[in-house]
Amino acid sequence: MENPVIILGAQSLGATALDAFQSNDVVVYCLLDDDAKLQNTELNNVPVMGNTDDRELLKLLGKKCEVFVATEDTASRRSLTNMLRDEYEVVPVNAIHARASVSEQAWLGHGNLIGAGAVVSSNSKMGNSCLIGANAVIDVQVELGDFVQVGAGAIVNAGAVLAEQAFIGPGAIIVGGVKIGAKARVGAGSVVVADVAANQTVFGNPAAKV
């Protein structure tokens, strides 16, 4: 990546994205966060310079800087991503840690974060703005919709389908071929052996509706 990156969000997700970029020797120009207490501070020697809608800094996007959206809340990430597309005609870049393993035969959208030690296998497909935690495994032919979150150490086995905004807790296991509906939530450490309906929350081994 030739251009430096501006990260929108300077909390835990921003720190993870910063680590991913720095692991690849990508220069991060600054971070922006709406929390006034974080502004005019530094995160890993990178300045937090203002709000996520700072027009003076955002006008650098495109020719001079890339952007990554790392706000904690999914609705906020969606809103900022749409704003960047509509007002600045840019899409967020992917933040892939140098110690992650992403197959050349995997398909990735824009604005995805893939943590250290994570594996994204051959013929898997990932939408936009997905968050893949450290040491998580996305097996072959898995499909992830937009804004899916897969926690650290979770395993999504071959052929599983995770719809938009599905949340998979840390250490959970999704058995091959299972379908997880939109905005469904799987608790940490759960083992999912059957399809999960949209908006449903499941937990346990085997996972059951909460």
Side-chain angles (χ1 to χ4, degrees), residues 9-166:
Q11 300 180 42
S12 60
L13 191 56
T16 303
L18 176 60
D19 182 52
F21 286 119
Q22 291 182 329
S23 76
N24 290 287
D25 296 322
V26 173
V27 174
V28 175
Y29 180 74
C30 70
L31 299 100
L32 303 177
D33 199 281
D34 295 334
D35 186 343
K37 291 182 291 186
L38 294 175
Q39 295 167 12
N40 300 312
T41 65
E42 289 188 346
L43 181 61
N44 298 348
N45 298 316
V46 178
V48 183
M49 296 180 68
N51 295 319
T52 56
D53 60 356
D54 188 313
R55 302 289 170 174
E56 287 302 307
L57 288 168
L58 293 181
K59 71 181 183 182
L60 298 173
L61 300 180
K63 293 183 179 179
K64 295 183 178 180
C65 286
E66 307 292 347
V67 65
F68 184 84
V69 180
T71 52
E72 308 294 316
D73 178 66
T74 300
S76 173
R77 290 207 318 280
R78 180 189 293 273
S79 176
L80 285 170
T81 300
N82 289 339
M83 179 272 290
L84 292 168
R85 183 192 63 224
D86 296 342
E87 296 186 27
Y88 296 93
E89 298 182 342
V90 297
V91 293
V93 294
N94 290 319
I96 302 173
H97 199 283
R99 294 200 304 275
S101 175
V102 179
S103 170
E104 293 184 359
Q105 305 305 319
W107 187 94
L108 274 61
H110 301 286
N112 297 298
L113 174 60
I114 302 176
V119 175
V120 180
S121 300
S122 175
N123 298 111
S124 57
K125 183 177 181 181
M126 186 180 303
N128 302 310
S129 300
C130 295
L131 306 177
I132 310 300
N135 299 312
V137 175
I138 308 299
D139 207 345
V140 296
Q141 297 181 332
V142 166
E143 293 185 18
L144 276 59
D146 296 343
F147 296 95
V148 167
Q149 296 186 49
V150 178
I155 299 174
V156 183
N157 282 290
V161 177
L162 280 56
E164 184 171 339
Q165 296 188 55

